[in-house]
Amino acid sequence: MESKSMLYIGQDPINLQLVRYLLSKKFPHIELIQVGSSDEAMSKLGEDSPALVLVDIQLPITEEYTIPDKLKQQADHESTPIWAVSGCVMEQDIIRAYQSGFDRYFTKPLHLLSFTHHLRRELDG
């Protein structure tokens, strides 16, 4: 199977540990690359071409909402799927995420069966 990577942008150690564990058990062929900010992500994208970008949106920080636009401005990454995971469950938060360019939005706590299903379709599809 082709080697792929997933870029995780976020600073929550528990969420990072969960994603790392899920990938190790269900997607061992996917390398997890973790960065803490959008600036680090843009730098990392110059070096790598991840199959998926997962952004952990943390309140009150809102810089995460600019990531899809920044990413899609780069020709090599304009079609890279960008997913958000957030504890924000209000309808306006979800709408804002999609309007900002996220392709999928998952709320915390993650429903692991659903999340794994979508990962499988995206990464192994």
Side-chain angles (χ1 to χ4, degrees):
M1 186 171 284
E2 171 187 342
S3 176
K4 294 182 182 179
S5 64
M6 180 172 91
L7 178 63
Y8 175 92
I9 305 169
Q11 297 183 5
D12 185 314
I14 293 172
N15 291 332
L16 176 59
Q17 184 176 5
L18 176 65
V19 170
R20 184 173 284 137
Y21 176 80
L22 181 64
L23 288 180
S24 72
K25 295 298 179 189
K26 301 289 185 180
F27 305 92
H29 60 285
I30 304 295
E31 175 191 7
L32 181 63
I33 302 165
Q34 189 268 332
V35 296
S37 70
S38 63
D39 290 337
E40 288 179 78
M42 294 307 121
S43 173
K44 197 61 147 160
L45 287 171
E47 304 166 16
D48 296 305
S49 292
L52 174 68
V53 174
L54 180 63
V55 181
D56 190 345
I57 297 176
Q58 298 288 316
L59 290 178
I61 301 168
T62 57
E63 106 181 44
E64 291 96 342
Y65 289 100
T66 65
I67 292 172
D69 188 50
K70 289 178 183 177
L71 180 69
K72 292 181 182 197
Q73 287 180 15
Q74 297 184 16
D76 292 346
H77 303 290
E78 59 192 9
S79 63
T80 302
I82 308 167
W83 295 1
V85 60
S86 176
C88 304
V89 298
M90 302 296 288
E91 183 178 2
Q92 67 264 24
D93 297 317
I94 297 168
I95 290 169
R96 178 181 180 196
Y98 282 117
Q99 288 175 339
S100 297
F102 286 98
D103 298 300
R104 290 207 180 276
Y105 189 90
F106 297 92
T107 57
K108 298 176 194 173
L110 281 176
H111 182 272
L112 290 181
L113 287 176
S114 174
F115 188 69
T116 301
H117 169 76
H118 288 289
L119 276 176
R120 189 167 316 293
R121 288 182 63 197
E122 192 66 54
L123 299 174
D124 292 343

